[in-house]
Each structure stands twice: as C-alpha cells, then as structure tokens.
Amino acid sequence: MYSDKKSVLQLVALLKAHGITQLVLSPGSRNAPLIHSFTADNDFTCYSVVDERSAGFFALGIIQARQQPVAVCCTSGTAALNLGPAVAEAYYQQLPLLVISADRPSAWIGQSDGQTIPQSGMFEGMVLRSVQLPEVKDEEEEWHCNRLINEAILSLDNNGIFGPAHINIPLSEPLFSFGYKQLPQVRVIRRSKGILTLPQKEEESYTTRYRLATKKMIIVGQLPPGHGLAELLQKISDEQGVVVLADRLSNIPTGPFDRFDAMLRTSDEEELLELVPELVIMLGGHIVSKRLKQFIRKTGVNALWQVTPSGEVSDTFQKLTDVIRCDPAAFLQRLATLSAESIENRYRERWENAVVTITPPEATYSDIGITGHFLRQLPGGSALHLANSQAVYLTQQFNLPAGVDLFCNRGTNGIEGSLSTAVGYAAASERLTFLLTGDMSFFYDMNGLWNRHLSPHLRILLNNNGGGGIFHTLPGLNRSEALDGFVAAAHTTEARTWVEQRGFLCLTARNTEELQQQLPLFMNHKGDRPVLLEVFTSMEENSKHIASYYQQLKNNRK
C-alpha cells in the first residue's frame, strides 16, 4: 500500500520510471509517507542511515559503486541542512545525487512551529535544479507536480553534465494514510543524449593550433573509473611526444611520468625551465599536487585549454585561454588521428629523463612509510577510498597495483564524509573496498558506522597519529603555540571500542614488526565481518619523517 498523497504517488512512480531505485532513507515523521511508499515497493533498494550528514555521503558511495543516480530522503527542518556537505561534494564532483526533503506546509514556515525552516531553494548554487512541489489539489497542480519532478530528475544528467538536484515536498497532516494499492500511470519526460562535439570550423582551428605547438602537455585531474580515456592518452603521448601528467585520482594506469610530483618537489629553477610546456590541455576535475599547480602558474605557458562538457570556466592554473565545450573522449579521438609531423621529441625526453631520476627511499615507520606498505599490498581489482589531507597527499608518492579503482571526496576537499562514502560504496558493491583515513576524518564521521549495512568486504586502515598531523608539516604553522591544542586538535582517542561494538574485527599496530604481521590478515581476511587496522604514530615524529623522506628523494637525484 502507498501513501494517498498525490505528490508522493507522482514522485514514487516517476523515480521508478526513470530507473532511480537506490534510496537512502533517514527517519522522521514528516517524510514517513515517502518512507512507507518506498519500502512497500519491491522495486526499490532502501538503506536506512539515521544521521543525515552520513546518509548523504553514503549515497555518494552508492553512486560511485553503481554509476547511476541515487536518492536520499530526509524529514523537515535542520535534517535537510545536514545534507549540505554531501550536496556540495556531489556538485563539485559532478555526481547525480537527488535530495528529497519533506517539508511543512508553507503557511507554517516562520511561525514558531516545530521543525520548520525555509527549505525551498536551500541548496541554491550547489544544485543543477531545485523544485518545490505543490500539495496537489486538482488536475492542474498534478500536471505541475509531474513536470517539476521530471525536470529535477532530468537535470541529474544533462547530456553528460552530471550533478545534484533537490526536490522539496511539503506535506500536510494527516500524514499516515496509506490507502493506495498501486501507483498511478504517470507522464515520463525523456531527453535524448548524444556526444557533445565541436563545430567543424572550431575543430579545425584547434587542431591547427595544436599542430603548431611543439611542447605539448596534457594534465588529467580526478576522473571516475571506467572513463575510457587511458588508451587514447597513451596513443597521443607515444605517437606525438605529448607529456601526460595524470593525477592519482584520474584512474589512469601507471605511466612514465607517474613520479612527476616528487620530481617537481626536488628540482631547482634551472631544471624546471627545461620542462615548461607551450600548450597545456586540461581534462577532468581536481588536481591534488600543489607542486604541479605552482609549476604551471609560474611558467610562461602560451595557451591552456580546458576541455569540459559543461563549458564552465575553471581557471585552476591562472593561465586559462580557451574553454572547449566538448566531450573529452571525442576531443582526444580527434587529436589521436593527427600525424606526428610536428613532434619535438626532446621535450618528452627531458621529462622522462627528469622523472626517471626519482628513486623513492624506504621510509621508516611513519605515516608515509605505512602508506607505502599498505598501497604496495593492495589486491588487484579492489576499490580504494581515500580520506582528505594526509591520506590523499601521501598516496601521490606511490604507485598502485593494476586494477585498483580510486575514489576520494575532492569536490570540496573536506574531511567529513569519507568514511560514510566508503561504507556506502561497500554496501552497494561486491568488491573488496579499502579506506585509507586519518584519525580526524574517521572520528569526525564516526556515525558512518552507525547503520546496519556494514559489508564484510569493507577494510579500514586508520592512521591514528593523535591529531591533524598534516598541520605539523606546514612551514610557519608548525611554530604556532596554538598548533596542538586548537589547530591539530591533539587527542588520545582510540577506535577499538566503537568499531568492535559495530561488529568489526579490530587489529592494531604500533611499530614496523606489528604492521608487517597484521597487514596480511587485514588484506586477506575471509570472515563474515569488516576489518579495521588502527595504526598508531606520532604527529611530531611524522613531520620529521616526511621532511627526511623528501630530502632523501632530493639527495638520491644527485
């Protein structure tokens, strides 16, 4: 039986028609008509996550696992505000998250009634479409309601431009009448899809300019797994002498320039001058390497092209000259057909010669050493989620085994939600799912484990260094008297009690010997419960070890 609210019936029917059947539900009374109707229909897969902030990120994990839109539903009031961080992450990571927020009737907003705040348009600037449904009382309002829902759903994927949308649905009492045995026949609005290509005249102009540049570089930022660009990029690099610098989060397999970040860290100004490109082509999203950003910003690049289906201006390197509104695969396919007549092989050779000098030292027991040991032993075919801060920065220094898909909430780079995202991914996937996280991110998102959908395929490596260790590595800040107490937020918290209550097998390591003993069990445990390996280090000692590691990198090049 379904709710007798006509707006609810329209919403449930249209979600089914558009294939949005993965739902994350947070409890409440105002959204109870929605919850009841979703859970009463076997076509929906419903996950229960109490904390709305965790629920939003849990939904992002499902999107990453399923590669399809997912809806998250909450009750009225501040519940919807708690979805804000996940909505922002979905917007900047371009993930199709549909937020459904139940609301009080508009007449009661601002009237000191419980759980009433202005919800219509509350995510403005962070969603591709926001709609306020009418409380359907006649045929015209039902038509209006149907149209608005279709519009919101279609906005999740506008010809390859993905992002979140918000449906706010006011519901008046009585709320708990469930008298409909079947859903109504509803109008479904479809939108055709096609690859976004350039007009022939523009394409010819760009290919001509491309040919004229002798020192060409392609920079690839964050991309989801399965993007299909790796072979095209390799072909262009090999046949045309183009330098391809791929961020770890680009999900591009290992290549000859993988250690570009370490090379940029350890090169002097004279060496870097030899590596300056004439033309830079930028694909994908965020770039983790600050050194690469600084290098391009300081160079005399003649042209920098951003290839993006949305056509939005994103001037990360402060050198942007052209925004090419095109599907990246279509653009690369055109470049790959060009002859190699204008190759200046020495440019690629200079980069190869510079990067090949990087010989990573064997790091001691510390954040960076633990990261290296962990990444080298990852099973092929697994999924790896990274928390922000130390976890994602240190991962840039190491190669990954073949077949490992990489995920990280770099849309907004916040510490919240990485645990919940990994938990959601593992719940919706049959794959072995690893999370590399620091203590601040983990404890900030502890409610990510407060649900009944914890997969036995989930593995969490918690690097507990007693606070925000990355702040100890920042010049100037590391001399502040407020560093430990207020910036790094030093603590003595351990995770064991909480995770054991949640059904985890909990392992610990406090030195190299214990780490080497526990890692095989952590990687290969075949039991019916998730596993957490909590590794203890020191913030103060870590900053020394990281500085020593980079100094050894530099010394090894001499």
Side-chain angles (χ1 to χ4, degrees), residues 60-95:
L60 298 190
I62 301 175
I63 294 172
Q64 293 170 344
R66 298 275 182 171
Q67 297 186 357
Q68 63 187 37
V70 173
V72 58
C73 176
C74 71
T75 193
S76 63
T78 54
L81 287 174
N82 284 313
L83 291 170
V87 172
E89 181 64 32
Y91 180 78
Y92 286 107
Q93 206 179 139
Q94 299 183 13
L95 297 175

Side-chain angles (χ1 to χ4, degrees), residues 446-461:
M446 284 177 65
N447 276 355
L449 301 181
W450 188 31
N451 63 74
R452 60 177 184 269
H453 308 291
L454 300 177
S455 168
H457 302 299
L458 179 64
R459 303 286 183 272
I460 300 172
L461 178 60

Side-chain angles (χ1 to χ4, degrees), residues 298-313:
K298 292 178 180 178
T299 60
V301 174
N302 294 336
L304 193 151
W305 303 348
Q306 175 82 27
V307 183
T308 170
S310 70
E312 291 186 0
V313 173

Side-chain angles (χ1 to χ4, degrees), residues 2 46 75 168 227:
Y2 300 94
C46 298
T75 193
N168 194 54
H227 50 67

